[in-house]
Amino acid sequence: MARKTANDDPLASVTLAVGQEDLLLDRAVQEVVAAAKAADADTDVRDLTPDQLQPGTLAELTSPSLFAERKVVVVRNAQDLSADTIKDVKAYLGAPAEEITLVLLHAGGAKGKGLLDAARKAGAREVACAKMTKPADRLAFVRAEFRTAGRSATPEACQALVDAIGSDLRELASAVSQLTADIEGTIDEAIVGRYYTGRAEASSFTVADRAVEGRAAEALEALRWSLATGVAPVLITSALAQGVRAIGKLSSARGGRPADLARELGMPPWKIDRVRQQMRGWTPDGVSVALRAVAEADAGVKGGSDDPEYALEKCVVTIARAARSRGRT
């Protein structure tokens, strides 16, 4: 979700959208354009790339109009502007024109940081559009999408959707839109499963779930399907690591209600129940063996192995065996 500064007026003189998440950047632009068109249906929108914004162009676009029309000027990849154009933008920030909203999209890195700092110093409205690299962030995004749509979805349904779709926010948003359009009432895990069964079976988290449950054959089948459908190997090792760590954390935690353990371990209560079922058969030694296997596989898929697929298969088999270590001699 895009986070905004205290100045939350989309018609502020300057909006600064910072980050590399394309969906959030596009939404930041759409919000400004929608607000401008609501104020004036004839708003002129100019959407420019760095090569289109040459020295002097911004002055032309923001000069007073005979008809005093409202205008939105969008500058994408502002970090790539030429030095002379950056000087123009900085000068404009000091004296923005009325009825004109400038939207600067900036990746947020070291490149073009001077422009970023100047916009912030000038009091620009800022929208954070960082990449969502953590599963918890994507889960929060899905929940927010359902709330924005005015619909209710169970925690299990939200997690199932993230597991099925993966890390692409556009696809997650599209899936929420489809479900809310097609389904009446609360959306649950079974509904998500009906819509996205094929993708769910190919997800990295399905591979991890089957492995930590000791179901080696099913885990390997899910792994091969995942790789065949384009799931990145690093996402699979990440999911495997999360699955094994969750078992290790819960097995070493004090007993208690799911809600109490959820607060202690930083997991949602429903996941506590799922991990409790998965951890039967695990031993502390088994967790250690599995974590070492994940570390080796992670190194393998990142260039340390000539055959990343074999490295993943070996890891999955090791984890499945470790899940059945209790009671073995």
Side-chain angles (χ1 to χ4, degrees), residues 11-202:
L11 292 181
S13 297
V14 180
T15 286
L16 179 64
V18 184
Q20 299 180 46
E21 185 55 69
D22 289 340
L23 174 65
L24 301 184
L25 291 168
D26 285 346
R27 285 185 173 182
V29 172
Q30 291 163 9
E31 182 183 27
V32 172
V33 171
K37 287 187 175 292
D40 181 353
D42 295 325
T43 294
D44 180 20
V45 179
R46 304 294 181 91
D47 198 324
L48 307 171
T49 56
D51 61 303
Q52 295 174 312
L53 195 67
Q54 299 299 318
T57 304
L58 183 61
E60 294 176 10
L61 292 173
T62 57
S63 60
S65 168
L66 178 62
F67 302 102
E69 65 180 351
R70 181 177 290 278
K71 187 178 293 184
V72 175
V73 179
V74 180
V75 180
R76 297 184 182 271
N77 298 312
Q79 72 278 358
D80 295 330
L81 292 172
S82 68
D84 288 338
T85 303
I86 287 176
K87 290 180 182 178
D88 287 352
V89 177
K90 287 182 177 179
Y92 177 81
L93 293 173
E98 293 184 7
E99 300 299 312
I100 293 178
T101 298
L102 175 64
V103 184
L104 298 174
L105 276 57
H106 194 292
K111 187 177 183 181
K113 189 173 183 299
L115 177 58
L116 190 63
D117 293 340
R120 286 170 171 162
K121 186 176 180 180
R125 167 182 179 259
E126 185 169 343
V127 183
C129 304
K131 282 281 188 183
M132 293 188 183
T133 58
K134 297 179 180 178
D137 292 339
R138 294 192 286 273
L139 182 59
F141 172 80
V142 168
R143 289 172 176 165
E145 290 290 291
F146 279 117
R147 284 197 301 271
T148 300
R151 298 296 302 279
S152 176
T154 66
E156 294 83 359
C158 293
Q159 183 64 57
L161 198 58
V162 173
D163 289 351
I165 301 298
S167 60
D168 191 313
L169 290 199
R170 289 189 188 278
E171 292 195 27
L172 285 170
S174 177
V176 171
S177 178
Q178 180 180 19
L179 288 169
T180 54
D182 293 355
I183 303 298
E184 295 182 359
T186 299
I187 294 165
D188 60 21
E189 187 175 16
I191 291 170
V192 173
R194 286 204 306 270
Y195 272 71
Y196 299 101
T197 296
R199 299 195 62 159
E201 290 173 350

Side-chain angles (χ1 to χ4, degrees), residues 196-247:
Y196 299 101
T197 296
R199 299 195 62 159
E201 290 173 350
S203 77
S204 55
F205 288 99
T206 299
V207 178
D209 284 341
R210 299 297 86 79
V212 299
E213 290 162 2
R215 296 153 67 177
E218 293 176 41
L220 287 171
E221 182 180 359
L223 171 63
R224 289 159 189 158
W225 194 348
S226 294
L227 294 172
T229 54
V231 176
V234 291
L235 294 180
I236 297 174
T237 55
S238 175
L240 290 167
Q242 290 181 51
V244 175
R245 287 183 189 131
I247 287 170

Side-chain angles (χ1 to χ4, degrees), residues 136 242 245-269 271-273 275-276 279:
Q242 290 181 51
R245 287 183 189 131
I247 287 170
K249 288 166 68 175
L250 190 56
S251 63
S252 62
R254 299 186 301 274
R257 298 178 304 170
D260 296 331
L261 287 170
R263 285 192 294 272
E264 179 183 342
L265 301 178
M267 299 180 191
K271 188 170 183 179
I272 296 292
D273 292 333
V275 176
R276 273 179 167 166
M279 63 188 286

